[in-house]
């Protein structure tokens, strides 16, 4: 039974929709109507109904992208009911999950089965399909992105057909749709490679900017997962090394973990950012005091409890993927930019890495990659800082994160991605009428 027949009798067309806003509050969409399908069949019916009415279709996740990648004035597909684990195949080492399932639910369910993803980003509020479609990634010597862990997917295309895609079935679509930007159709389910649950030991410690940049290649090579945060207006960084451990588990204590992850990283940081927004001149001094307060800690736990942490302070972000060899030079230029400018930056700059992969529009497609991410507290002027940082990134052949703020267009991106034409050819075949287009996709993919 179609959702709309069960709920509102609208023949798959959904309901009149109010405005939709993303997590950061910088994107608002006003769709003509919305639908929340509970199955692939209901999703396909909604896409067919939208086509009959001449509406474009966009699926949203949890709204954690900073770009209007999911904005539409047509049909908005909500993820609320397209959730849940569909199959766990221990022998094959895979789990199949409905596209709207939050990463948090996936991680908790996998842990209950004694399983885990190999890697993940640092938050888990996104839906699995939204995270994959925009290139969400963690940091890693051997693995990084969510999309690279996908072994199969189910895609509802512009005419309501359902394609099953993998390396063996519709491989050309699979090569693009793992990170598809919502441009090829609506993903209804994803199959991920998983492995028996393991332990990670996290070692967090302060390190001077000059030391971490001098040792960057060494730190990346010696650790399975290395990342660091540089605090603008200072010469201080906080480093994090995650490596597999034989155990035993030794998670942070309840009190000390709450102090680090909630009180300091969210509560106090929120107050600091609010003060900095009100009195920008105070930011450099606050940054110096904050960076001196950093302390080292080591703990061991199951993967998602080490990789992820709560992020309650809202911000805007731009992130670029650069060739790994450009990491130290680009970061040095960014530091010099902050030092010679009037920018007052309260958020740290995040540095992560990824190995090369074979996904057409992955930011790590075909090259070992370093990610540099700049942030500004929500409500703080960010445009000039991001524009200046972007000039540095593009001078080093940077590729913008698809879900984070940037100004690049199809002409730039076609040069940045060797397989860009492969992706757009698949798009032309699957969606010649641009059922899944919007202004953002027209800018970054052409029309």
């Amino acid at each position: 039974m179609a959702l709309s027949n069960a709920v509102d009798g609208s023949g798959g067309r959904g309901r009149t929709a109010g405005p939709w806003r993303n997590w950061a509050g910088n994107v608002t969409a006003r769709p003509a109507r919305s639908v929340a399908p509970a199955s692939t069949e209901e999703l396909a019916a909604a896409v067919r109904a939208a086509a009959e009415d001449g509406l474009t279709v966009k699926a949203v996740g949890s709204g954690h992208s900073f770009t209007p990648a999911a904005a539409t004035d047509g049909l908005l597909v909500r993820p609320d009911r397209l959730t849940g684990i569909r199959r766990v195949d221990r022998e094959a080492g895979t789990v199949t999950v409905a596209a709207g399932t939050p990463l948090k639910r996936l991680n908790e369910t996998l842990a209950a089965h004694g399983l885990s993803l190999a890697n993940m980003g640092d938050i888990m509020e996104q839906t699995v399909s939204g995270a994959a479609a925009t290139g969400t990634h963690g940091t890693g010597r051997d693995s990084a992105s969510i999309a690279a862990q996908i072994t199969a997917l189910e895609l509802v295309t512009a005419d309501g057909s359902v394609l099953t895609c993998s390396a063996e079935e519709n491989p050309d679509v699979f090569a693009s749709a793992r990170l598809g930007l919502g441009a090829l159709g609506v993903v209804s389910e994803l199959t991920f490679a998983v492995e028996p649950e393991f332990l990670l030991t996290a070692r967090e410690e302060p390190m001077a900017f000059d030391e971490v940049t001098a040792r960057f290649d060494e730190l990346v090579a010696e650790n399975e997962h290395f990342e660091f945060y540089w605090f603008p207006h200072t010469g201080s960084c906080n480093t994090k090394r995650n490596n597999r451990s034989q155990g035993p588990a030794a998670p942070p204590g309840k009190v000390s973990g709450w102090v680090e992850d909630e009180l300091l990283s969210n509560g106090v940081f929120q107050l600091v950012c609010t003060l900095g927004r009100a009195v920008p001149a105070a930011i450099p001094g606050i940054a110096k005091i904050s960076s001196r307060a950093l302390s080292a800690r080591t703990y061991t736990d199951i993967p998602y409890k080490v990789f992820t942490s709560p992020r309650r302070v809202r911000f805007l972000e731009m992130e670029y993927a650069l060739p790994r060899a450009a990491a130290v030079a680009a970061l040095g230029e960014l530091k010099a930019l902050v030092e010679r400018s009037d920018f007052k930056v309260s958020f740290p700059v995040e540095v992560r890495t990824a190995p090369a992969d074979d996904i057409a529009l992955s930011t790590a497609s075909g090259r070992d990659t370093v990610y540099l991410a700049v942030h500004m507290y929500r409500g703080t002027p960010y445009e000039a800082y991001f524009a200046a940082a972007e000039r540095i990134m593009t001078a080093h052949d940077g590729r913008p994160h698809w879900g984070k703020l940037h100004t690049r267009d199809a002409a730039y991106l076609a040069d940045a991605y060797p397989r860009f034409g492969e992706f757009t050819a698949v798009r032309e075949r699957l969606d010649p009428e641009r059922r899944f287009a919007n202004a953002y996709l027209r800018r970054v993919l052409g029309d």
Side-chain angles (χ1 to χ4, degrees), residues 192-274:
F192 292 96
V194 294
E195 56 185 288
E197 189 173 74
F198 51 93
L199 291 172
L200 284 173
T201 292
R203 177 183 170 190
E204 300 175 4
E205 66 174 328
M207 189 177 292
F209 180 92
D210 290 343
E211 181 182 357
V212 75
T213 51
R215 296 178 57 197
F216 180 72
D217 291 338
E218 166 200 338
L219 290 164
V220 170
E222 290 181 352
N223 295 281
E224 291 176 83
H225 310 278
F226 175 71
E227 63 185 309
F228 71 94
Y229 300 83
W230 164 60
F231 295 84
H233 311 292
T234 80
S236 301
C237 299
N238 198 32
T239 64
K240 184 174 182 180
R241 287 168 260 196
N242 296 333
N243 290 287
R244 296 198 186 207
S245 169
Q246 294 302 309
K254 287 187 177 180
V255 173
S256 62
W258 178 83
V259 168
E260 288 281 348
D261 298 326
E262 285 291 353
L263 179 61
L264 296 179
S265 297
N266 287 293
V268 173
F269 189 48
Q270 175 80 59
L271 292 174
V272 166
C273 288
T274 302

Side-chain angles (χ1 to χ4, degrees), residues 49-382:
E52 290 170 4
D53 295 341
L55 295 178
T56 56
V57 178
K58 297 305 299 178
V60 295
S62 59
H64 269 265
S65 287
F66 301 91
T67 64
T72 184
D73 57 4
L75 177 68
L76 189 75
V77 179
R78 294 186 175 273
D80 312 60
R81 301 174 70 233
L82 196 62
T83 62
I85 308 300
R86 293 184 172 177
R87 288 181 299 282
V88 175
D89 188 334
R90 289 183 174 275
E91 185 175 341
T94 61
V95 60
T96 301
V97 59
T101 307
L103 284 167
K104 181 177 182 179
R105 181 174 173 188
L106 171 62
N107 286 330
E108 291 172 346
T109 303
L110 287 175
H113 284 82
L115 299 169
S116 178
L117 295 170
N119 203 349
M120 60 197 77
D122 59 3
I123 60 172
M124 54 181 180
E125 304 306 316
Q126 310 103 311
T127 62
V128 293
S129 58
T134 53
T136 294
H137 60 89
T139 189
R141 183 182 61 201
D142 308 309
S143 67
S145 79
I146 294 292
Q149 298 173 73
I150 296 170
T151 62
L153 60 88
E154 186 179 77
L155 183 72
V156 176
T157 59
D159 62 359
S161 300
V162 180
L163 288 181
T164 301
C165 306
S166 67
E168 293 76 36
E169 190 173 1
N170 296 305
D172 58 332
V173 178
F174 181 67
S176 293
R178 279 181 288 173
L179 199 166
L181 309 180
L184 307 180
V186 182
V187 173
S188 50
E189 73 172 30
L190 293 162
T191 298
F192 292 96
V194 294
E195 56 185 288
E197 189 173 74
F198 51 93
L199 291 172
L200 284 173
T201 292
R203 177 183 170 190
E204 300 175 4
E205 66 174 328
M207 189 177 292
F209 180 92
D210 290 343
E211 181 182 357
V212 75
T213 51
R215 296 178 57 197
F216 180 72
D217 291 338
E218 166 200 338
L219 290 164
V220 170
E222 290 181 352
N223 295 281
E224 291 176 83
H225 310 278
F226 175 71
E227 63 185 309
F228 71 94
Y229 300 83
W230 164 60
F231 295 84
H233 311 292
T234 80
S236 301
C237 299
N238 198 32
T239 64
K240 184 174 182 180
R241 287 168 260 196
N242 296 333
N243 290 287
R244 296 198 186 207
S245 169
Q246 294 302 309
K254 287 187 177 180
V255 173
S256 62
W258 178 83
V259 168
E260 288 281 348
D261 298 326
E262 285 291 353
L263 179 61
L264 296 179
S265 297
N266 287 293
V268 173
F269 189 48
Q270 175 80 59
L271 292 174
V272 166
C273 288
T274 302
L275 173 61
R277 184 173 62 189
V279 188
I283 289 176
I286 292 171
K288 289 179 174 62
I289 294 170
S290 300
S291 65
R292 285 198 293 268
L294 295 172
S295 59
R297 65 171 178 164
T298 301
Y299 55 94
T300 301
D301 213 331
I302 60 175
Y304 84 86
K305 293 185 179 181
V306 173
F307 284 130
T308 70
S309 54
R311 291 284 184 267
R312 310 198 198 286
V313 181
R314 303 209 178 198
F315 54 86
L316 294 172
E317 180 177 1
M318 181 179 73
E319 181 178 67
Y320 265 78
L322 278 59
R324 181 82 56 81
V328 174
L331 192 59
E333 291 169 28
L334 189 61
K335 186 172 186 288
L337 168 70
V338 172
E339 289 173 348
R340 70 172 182 265
S341 72
D342 293 328
F343 300 139
K344 301 295 186 287
V345 184
S346 58
F347 259 81
V349 172
E350 185 178 21
V351 183
R352 295 178 286 175
T353 66
D357 64 39
D358 63 349
I359 304 171
L361 290 190
S362 167
T363 45
S365 182
R367 71 186 190 191
D368 290 342
T369 293
V370 63
Y371 294 100
L372 302 184
V374 298
H375 313 69
M376 287 291 271
Y377 183 48
R378 188 172 69 174
T380 303
Y382 67 89

